[in-house]
Amino acid sequence: MLSSLLFAVASVASEPPLERIVITGASAQTAVEIIKDPKAPQQPLPAQDGADYLKSIPGFAVIRKGGTSGDPVFRGAAGSRLLMSSDEQMILGGCSSRMDPPTAYINPQNFDRIRVIKGPQSILHGPAAATVLFERDHYRFDPDQGLGQISFTTASAQRYDFNSDLTVGSDQGFWRVTASYSEADDYRSGSGQLINSAYQRWGVDTQLGWTPNNDSVVILGLGRSGAEAAYADRAMDGVLFDRDSVSLRWRQQNISSWLTQLDSQLYFGYVDHIMDNYSLRSFTPNAMMANPSISNPDRYSRGFRSVATIATEQLTEWVIGVDHQLHQHRNRSSMNQLMMPFENKLREADAEFRQWGLFSEWQIALASNLNLHSGWRVDQWLALDQRINLGMGAMAQPNPTALQQQKDYLHSGFVRLEHQYDQQLWHIGIGRAQRFADYWELFGAQNRTETSASALYLKPELVHQIDIGLQAKFNNLEWVSSLFYGRTDNFILLQRGQPMQPVLARNVDSESFGGESLLRWQVNTAWLVDASIAYTHASNLTDQRPLAQQPPLELKFGAQYQQADWTHAVLWRIVDNQHRVALGQGNIVGNDFKATAGFGVLSLNSHWQLNSRWRVSFGVDNLLDKNYSEHLSRSGAMVAGYQPLAQISEPGRTLWFKLDYRP
Ligand SMILES: [Cu+2]
């Protein structure tokens, strides 16, 4: 994994891309931006969802819930603090218990690139502590590119993945179809314990592009995906995760001497989700659910985005845009599916969100080696509380904020100086990101505040952060470092008390600092070694205690040996213990429930590039069959037929094999 990160610098150093296969990690484009190839083999073998693909990038962690659909965390920021966009669309999940983060609807191998922008250093897609973009190149058919790529993966726990990404076309247009299918059984931890984690996922996305001339492209996008997944951390499993999406995009280039590009997109998304306590596990009554119970939320999303790119004498690049999102959420459920099937009930709207944003980002070359990059955005957000009652059945009580709305104008921006000096690229940036509370914070688990049974009037979060980075190359040594210090006003903290009690949502002030460093040393033509470190230290200033749900210090060491068409690599990942915890506090995904011990995991992999079309990769993750849990993973739930778990264990020794073919 290290190998890859360090690879970052490689690209910087203006060398041709290395022939080596980047197994894990990602390449740093600059110290601000990281780029990862989702089609390349990865170690450890990720589940077929967006979060697991991010995990190998230093600074990222995943909150595990089962075999798939974990929630990504970057520098301790989870949930909506990370802005997730796929093809510049925002499709959010339907589950009020956060079974489906946005990454659960992303099949990473169907994309060309994953791009991560660290810190509040871009406002093009919204205010965020970090921006994660799943992107496709699809503007023109290139006959030299080949048809695409097909891959097959198999691994321990009866895992099978199929992926295909094929494009046909002419100079008049193209048709791209990406399809994926993935299934896995329950995996076993290092101690041989079976974890309720089986899943099945599939997805098909297609883009139909019309390119009437060299400067125009119109793309119709259609997508559909589905899944079912078992959860080891709760009393229900996800039996339906259906997504449908439609988008229309129009891009026009070279419009006039100053207007270089207009890019507009309209999209619609619909997510239908069902979770229950009997389909994927044997039903066992408990205090909260005495009968077979089911919940069926859905979410309709609509978005629009239009961006103009302007070139002037003074500005290298100037981007102006407008964007919009609408989200409508509904729910229906049955606490006794046998007597009152949910299918007979009406879906009841519980929340609506509306956003309009205006933004502008520009770059100015102050000198030949000095660049100023800056941007600002203003958002108008509105949340409408459509819940008439809070709680269900006999517990129901009138909602004090029924049919009320919260509205805010938010300001976000950044300034960054980039300085190129010899083989070194420095940057220093200061940014602010103001974020409106999301569905899960305002409405999610019947959240309340200290003064109200509803959390509708939570204040928006405001982050101010300094980011400093260096990327340097000395002979065969490459180095990338990013450091940050941030203060958050009105950080939205969730506190879980007694079971069956609503979650308390509070605005507190917090502070966070840390960073990531990567070092890569090309010892000789055959050997490459690399290392990375990632650390975050965050505190809750209001309560004067650690901020909850923060990842521990993490180190990675990697070595690669290349001979002819073969590459062999070893990866050693070492994670420190985490004693800076705030029990009972957390975010929309999880809360701290214990301090955890550190661990080390050793993994091996090999690649064989048979020819330009075929590539074989295989490996062993967790070679020593270590039994461990990630600090941020959720606590285990009682599941009939499975041993109880304090915290969800990571997979034990996992053998995997991947075959890639370029037709
Ligand atoms: Cu759910």
Side-chain angles (χ1 to χ4, degrees):
M1 73 24 78
L2 301 174
S3 13
S4 39
L5 295 178
L6 308 181
F7 187 66
V9 187
S11 46
V12 172
S14 71
E15 282 177 0
L18 293 180
E19 288 295 311
R20 291 177 185 281
I21 292 163
V22 174
I23 302 291
T24 46
S27 61
Q29 197 66 8
T30 69
V32 183
E33 187 174 323
I34 287 182
I35 291 189
K36 187 178 168 90
D37 174 8
K39 290 186 164 65
Q42 325 262 329
Q43 185 161 48
L45 180 70
Q48 181 71 282
D49 82 274
D52 257 31
Y53 272 71
L54 295 169
K55 191 178 176 180
S56 56
I57 301 175
F60 272 95
V62 170
I63 302 177
R64 185 180 281 281
K65 307 158 188 173
T68 184
S69 303
D71 249 85
V73 182
F74 182 64
R75 292 175 169 176
S80 307
R81 293 183 179 110
L82 288 184
L83 197 147
M84 293 284 163
S85 134
S86 50
D87 267 345
E88 315 220 314
Q89 303 174 21
M90 309 280 172
I91 306 283
L92 300 178
C95 183
S96 50
S97 312
R98 198 68 183 180
M99 275 180 171
D100 53 353
T103 41
Y105 294 99
I106 292 173
N107 295 296
Q109 294 211 26
N110 292 355
F111 289 83
D112 294 318
R113 141 173 20 86
I114 305 172
R115 205 146 63 86
V116 177
I117 301 164
K118 297 181 176 185
Q121 289 293 313
S122 169
I123 46 81
L124 291 179
H125 301 89
T131 306
V132 182
L133 307 169
F134 289 83
E135 296 180 329
R136 287 192 184 98
D137 295 321
H138 45 19
Y139 291 113
R140 193 148 302 279
F141 178 69
D142 180 357
D144 300 332
Q145 278 283 317
L147 268 177
Q149 188 169 348
I150 295 172
S151 75
F152 166 72
T153 306
T154 182
S156 307
Q158 305 285 315
R159 165 92 180 259
Y160 299 100
D161 288 6
F162 302 90
N163 280 279
S164 82
D165 180 352
L166 301 171
T167 305
V168 292
S170 68
D171 53 1
Q172 283 296 300
F174 60 87
W175 184 33
R176 179 173 181 177
V177 182
T178 51
S180 65
Y181 175 82
S182 185
E183 64 172 45
D185 251 347
D186 291 339
Y187 67 79
R188 281 184 192 277
S189 71
S191 63
Q193 200 172 346
L194 207 57
I195 310 292
N196 189 42
S197 59
Y199 64 87
Q200 188 182 29
R201 291 166 56 90
W202 61 271
V204 180
D205 283 273
T206 176
Q207 286 93 41
L208 209 53
W210 177 44
T211 49
N213 56 57
N214 284 340
D215 292 326
S216 311
V217 57
V218 178
I219 300 166
L220 174 69
L222 297 170
R224 174 164 271 198
S225 65
E228 61 176 40
Y231 287 73
D233 66 330
R234 57 194 79 200
M236 285 189 168
D237 298 307
V239 294
L240 183 84
F241 296 91
D242 275 357
R243 167 194 60 108
D244 288 286
S245 61
V246 184
S247 64
L248 190 64
R249 187 165 186 169
W250 171 46
R251 197 177 77 161
Q252 188 74 34
Q253 289 181 301
N254 304 317
I255 298 161
S256 74
S257 60
W258 55 274
L259 184 57
T260 53
Q261 183 175 298
L262 262 180
D263 189 355
S264 301
Q265 177 169 237
L266 178 66
Y267 63 90
F268 303 90
Y270 178 71
V271 163
D272 195 9
H273 167 53
I274 295 177
M275 53 181 164
D276 70 31
N277 60 356
Y278 57 86
S279 297
L280 300 180
R281 64 179 72 190
S282 48
F283 169 68
T284 36
N286 64 26
M288 291 180 74
M289 290 179 285
N291 298 298
S293 303
I294 195 162
S295 179
N296 176 212
D298 70 348
R299 178 189 289 266
Y300 166 77
S301 303
R302 179 184 78 200
F304 172 74
R305 178 178 170 81
S306 187
V307 181
T309 307
I310 293 163
T312 70
E313 298 262 313
Q314 295 78 29
L315 301 172
T316 323
E317 191 177 75
W318 183 22
V319 173
I320 302 177
V322 55
D323 57 13
H324 163 69
Q325 292 175 55
L326 168 82
H327 298 280
Q328 292 171 326
H329 194 270
R330 301 185 299 178
N331 203 0
R332 61 178 169 181
S333 57
S334 172
M335 295 300 280
N336 189 341
Q337 175 66 7
L338 299 174
M339 303 293 291
M340 299 172 289
F342 79 99
E343 295 92 335
N344 297 345
K345 299 190 175 188
L346 286 177
R347 294 186 193 256
E348 288 179 37
D350 61 1
E352 181 172 314
F353 283 76
R354 259 176 271 163
Q355 172 266 348
W356 278 98
L358 264 177
F359 54 90
S360 181
E361 211 175 286
W362 55 92
Q363 275 190 67
I364 306 170
L366 299 176
S368 64
N369 59 357
L370 191 62
N371 240 322
L372 181 74
H373 202 147
S374 184
W376 195 262
R377 75 175 287 137
V378 180
D379 287 289
Q380 184 207 64
W381 274 94
L382 185 147
L384 173 65
D385 189 350
Q386 296 171 297
R387 302 166 301 173
I388 303 303
N389 288 308
L390 299 177
M392 288 203 300
M395 309 275 282
Q397 53 166 315
N399 176 10
T401 57
L403 304 179
Q404 293 180 24
Q405 60 182 45
Q406 211 221 129
K407 190 173 173 180
D408 258 305
Y409 290 90
L410 311 178
H411 297 266
S412 305
F414 72 95
V415 185
R416 181 169 76 246
L417 266 176
E418 292 174 353
H419 179 53
Q420 173 94 44
Y421 172 75
D422 198 21
Q423 293 270 50
Q424 303 167 27
L425 182 63
W426 286 89
H427 80 260
I428 178 161
I430 180 155
R432 78 176 247 150
Q434 199 171 15
R435 180 181 72 85
F436 197 73
D438 66 21
Y439 171 82
W440 294 269
E441 289 160 338
L442 294 182
F443 306 102
Q446 306 279 343
N447 297 352
R448 66 181 175 90
T449 64
E450 283 159 303
T451 52
S452 168
S454 152
L456 180 67
Y457 294 109
L458 277 175
K459 291 184 191 136
E461 258 180 25
L462 175 59
V463 178
H464 283 101
Q465 185 166 309
I466 295 173
D467 279 275
I468 297 175
L470 167 66
Q471 179 182 4
K473 185 177 158 103
F474 309 97
N475 300 321
N476 298 328
L477 205 60
E478 292 158 354
W479 178 34
V480 185
S481 269
S482 323
L483 299 172
F484 73 98
Y485 173 81
R487 281 288 288 258
T488 305
D489 297 331
N490 299 318
F491 181 95
I492 298 171
L493 185 74
L494 300 190
Q495 285 181 203
R496 289 165 180 84
Q498 299 301 314
M500 309 194 52
Q501 289 297 311
V503 172
L504 173 64
R506 297 166 59 213
N507 284 117
V508 299
D509 292 337
S510 72
E511 169 189 76
S512 177
F513 61 86
E516 303 83 40
S517 265
L518 321 160
L519 193 67
R520 178 183 195 263
W521 180 31
Q522 181 81 54
V523 183
N524 53 42
T525 51
W527 282 97
L528 174 92
V529 292
D530 55 12
S532 77
I533 181 169
Y535 181 63
T536 302
H537 183 105
S539 303
N540 172 342
L541 302 176
T542 302
D543 299 342
Q544 298 192 318
R545 61 194 293 200
L547 189 66
Q549 290 288 286
Q550 299 296 312
L553 172 70
E554 179 167 332
L555 294 164
K556 287 176 188 169
F557 297 97
Q560 265 191 29
Y561 177 74
Q562 189 181 38
Q563 190 184 35
D565 310 327
W566 282 88
T567 307
H568 309 283
V570 54
L571 167 68
W572 187 28
R573 175 169 173 254
I574 306 162
V575 177
D576 198 7
N577 62 43
Q578 179 60 291
H579 58 270
R580 297 193 77 252
V581 293
L583 301 183
Q585 297 188 332
N587 52 39
I588 59 171
V589 191
N591 57 298
D592 283 3
F593 55 96
K594 63 173 190 169
T596 54
F599 57 84
V601 181
L602 195 65
S603 301
L604 303 174
N605 64 68
S606 291
H607 299 269
W608 181 25
Q609 187 80 44
L610 282 79
N611 53 46
S612 62
R613 293 186 182 279
W614 290 93
R615 179 170 66 188
V616 173
S617 324
F618 50 91
V620 192
D621 294 345
N622 193 357
L623 177 70
L624 304 178
D625 211 10
K626 173 100 182 158
N627 186 38
Y628 71 105
S629 299
E630 300 282 355
H631 173 69
L632 291 180
S633 288
R634 301 250 312 166
S635 57
M638 294 295 291
V639 182
Y642 295 80
Q643 286 173 20
L645 279 174
Q647 186 172 19
I648 302 175
S649 306
E650 295 293 309
R653 185 182 299 126
T654 303
L655 304 171
W656 57 268
F657 170 87
K658 184 170 193 251
L659 187 63
D660 288 295
Y661 173 63
R662 292 183 165 278

